[in-house]
Amino acid sequence: MSIIDSIQNGVIKGIKSLYGADITADQITMNSTRKEFEGDYTVVAFPFARIAKKKPDQIAEELGAYLVGEVEPIEQYNVIKGFLNLSLSHSFWREFLAGIYQDASYGRQPANGQKVMVEFSSPNTNKPLHLGHIRNILLGWSASRILEAAGYEVVRVQIINDRGIAICKSMLAWQKFGKGATPASAGEKGDHFVGDYYVLFEKKLREEYQGWQQSEEARKLFETKADTGQAEPDFFKAFKNTYFNEYSSLGAEAKQMLLQWEAGDPATKGLWKQMNDWVYQGFDETYKQLGVEFDQLYFESETYLLGKDAVQKGLEKGLFYQKEDGSVWIDLTDANLDQKLVLRSDGTSVYMTQDIGTAQKRYQDFGVDKMVYVVANEQNYHFQALFEILKRLGEPYAHGLYHLSYGMVDLPTGKMKSREGTVVDADDLIAEVVEEARKNTADRDTISGLSEKEQEEVIRQIAIAALKFFIIKVQPQKRMVFDPKESVDLQGQTGPYVQNAYVRVQSVLRKAGDPPLDAAADYQQLEPQEKEMLNMVYAFPALVKLAAEEYDPSGIANFCYDLAKAYHRFYHDLSILNAKTAEAKAFRLQLSQAVAIVLKQGLGLLGIEMPERM
RNA sequence: GGCUCCGUAGCUUAAUUGGAUAGAGCACCUGACUACGGAUCAGGAGGUUGCAGGUUCGAAUCCUGCCGGAGUCACCA
């Protein structure tokens, strides 16, 4: 039983014995004592005023006296304006520390027998990954690590959007203009290579469209179809989609290619497979840089027809209804949602159909209890509807569905727009932070003893830490501003700052050798800096649990920063190896080890590695 | 327009889920050990928590109404 539970039980008993009232644990407001006051935990007495019919100060006083006698580790208390601050005995903290300072898995919960699937990244195959994907990937990866630490078995998946008109555009452009080039011959990463042909297609289409606008046909259309007063450029801007679908020869060719793909034409399929393979090789490099991997990939080309059976069954059960034109719908208005289409009038699937089918397939494949979808908040509505439908279909995992929704990433200059070329490329960004870390490392003489390969690895760890921490420290649902200049910062509230605290510990431990630390048990007078860290270390496992319940890694990031900060201060204020007594030295070495373990665990949950030197 | 999310120092952001004097970082200014690694530490300045009401012993947090921003309301994905 944790000390928090003990105190709560003590309060319940205390209220009963002092005032004869029954209360429950959730009526107790309790938190860590703020730094400026004496104590470890604080119980707020105000809520009991009504029950006890006394002033909060008096209640706090009486309850404090009761708890000191009742709950063993509580040694003393003080009351300030209705707040009861409780101090635990030094021996409690010494024993706690001795128990965990060598436990490298401290903070991890035992397996809970439940399985959760986390879907993240899920890119299209016609373009390289960008900053938006990075936020998605980092959130997905850290959420999965946190769930693991909370005791779940985790299955990491992505669904790859490998079909459709977009990839056909790249294929067509390559076929027409590529002259047989390959990523190898062009000396380019495969995803960038294929993305360039997508851009080329759009460029050629634009040229074609502009030429067409001068034609007789176009002029006539403008005269007959334009709204009165509509300027010519506005008209043609709005007309672009129709042009692509009905007039463009490039558009017709791309659509023809999509039809051939759907018909299973071997040549088209071959080209499609070739180009997608190039893309995957490119993606894999980026994933490797970011240190993420997946247990299972789902390809849309294999799942896009799923879900029709489910719709058919739902129709028979009366969950769905059919309109006269044959389209199938579900009425979600009583769930505060709309009527949603689940099958087109021509019998083909929509996004929703596919997602229903894919969820069912995943359950068949893995038998998971929960599914987490990491997808940007522009799809909030879609997932509400999807989850509601799966619930009504009676899917066994329906209670465990969660949409980990996150806000868009903006630049200091505003939104990222592919048309304006302001999209931040993932690989460029990674290269930039690595370069910055390299420069900073060169200014110091801290790792020159390592081999070149080891140095390179340390530089990469620092760079990736800066990037990841910068993104993960912001709560997911918030839209965030990403300033590339700040993201490469290695000082202040950053990943490298936290790494540095860990590296300091390692440095001290190397100097200390491996002395026996039994003397720590006789260390009497804990300093405030020490108690502050002990409180944090103690709170870590509960924080991991909370992060898992809320699918939110940002709290872990902020915690790691606070703990690192506390350690840096401690390190500055108090001497470890030259401590005045052997007891103090032993205790501080234990404490340093415990802090290092928590920092390594904590950053590990964010997907950030710890260097031993930096 | 309906629904959803967001609004905290110049900028980027916390706040233990309703608790004490709203806490950090960046940028700016001033300092620190011939000592365990200065990617560090200490100090200064910077706030009407978008605005106005309400609930409460207590509100950045909950409720109502405005203001501002974003997203979404497709037989697209």
Side-chain angles (χ1 to χ4, degrees), chain A residues 4 51 57 93 121 125 229 268 275 288 323 374 427 472 517 524 542:
Chain A
I4 294 172
I51 298 167
D57 271 359
W93 289 118
S121 190
T125 58
T268 310
M275 295 202 76
K288 202 173 166 203
K323 286 192 181 173
V374 184
D427 297 311
I472 294 177
L517 301 179
Q524 289 309 318

Side-chain angles (χ1 to χ4, degrees), chain A residues 6-7 9-11 13-14 17 63-74:
Chain A
S6 304
I7 294 174
N9 289 343
V11 171
K13 280 173 73 180
S17 116
L63 196 54
Y66 177 87
L67 288 172
V68 167
E70 179 70 22
V71 183
E72 197 268 316
I74 300 178

Side-chain angles (χ1 to χ4, degrees), chain A residues 393-440:
Chain A
L393 285 170
E395 297 298 313
Y397 49 84
H399 59 279
L401 294 164
Y402 185 78
H403 174 205
L404 175 38
S405 165
Y406 62 91
M408 296 286 159
V409 184
D410 286 331
L411 301 173
T413 49
K415 280 187 74 164
M416 284 199 291
K417 286 183 182 152
S418 54
R419 236 182 311 148
E420 293 168 20
T422 55
V423 174
V424 176
D425 178 76
D427 297 311
D428 290 350
L429 181 60
I430 291 167
E432 200 179 323
V433 291
V434 170
E435 209 32 60
E436 190 65 24
R438 193 190 315 283
K439 269 192 278 179
N440 270 273

Side-chain angles (χ1 to χ4, degrees), chain A residues 206 208-215 218-219 232-233 236-237:
Chain A
R206 215 158 39 238
E208 186 198 87
Y209 188 35
Q210 262 155 17
W212 178 82
Q213 285 170 30
Q214 309 306 318
S215 71
R219 308 206 68 79
E232 197 171 318
F236 283 118
K237 203 176 164 189

Side-chain angles (χ1 to χ4, degrees), chain A residues 260-306:
Chain A
Q260 283 170 346
W261 183 89
E262 281 174 0
D265 172 61
T268 310
K269 284 272 188 178
L271 175 59
W272 169 77
K273 187 170 182 316
Q274 173 67 80
M275 295 202 76
N276 275 335
D277 281 347
W278 286 335
V279 171
Y280 301 146
Q281 283 169 26
F283 284 169
D284 283 348
E285 277 182 52
T286 309
Y287 289 146
K288 202 173 166 203
Q289 283 284 317
L290 291 173
V292 305
E293 47 196 37
F294 298 88
D295 301 305
Q296 171 84 40
L297 306 186
Y298 287 92
F299 296 93
E300 213 186 57
S301 56
E302 293 166 1
T303 63
Y304 80 110
L305 296 176
L306 296 177

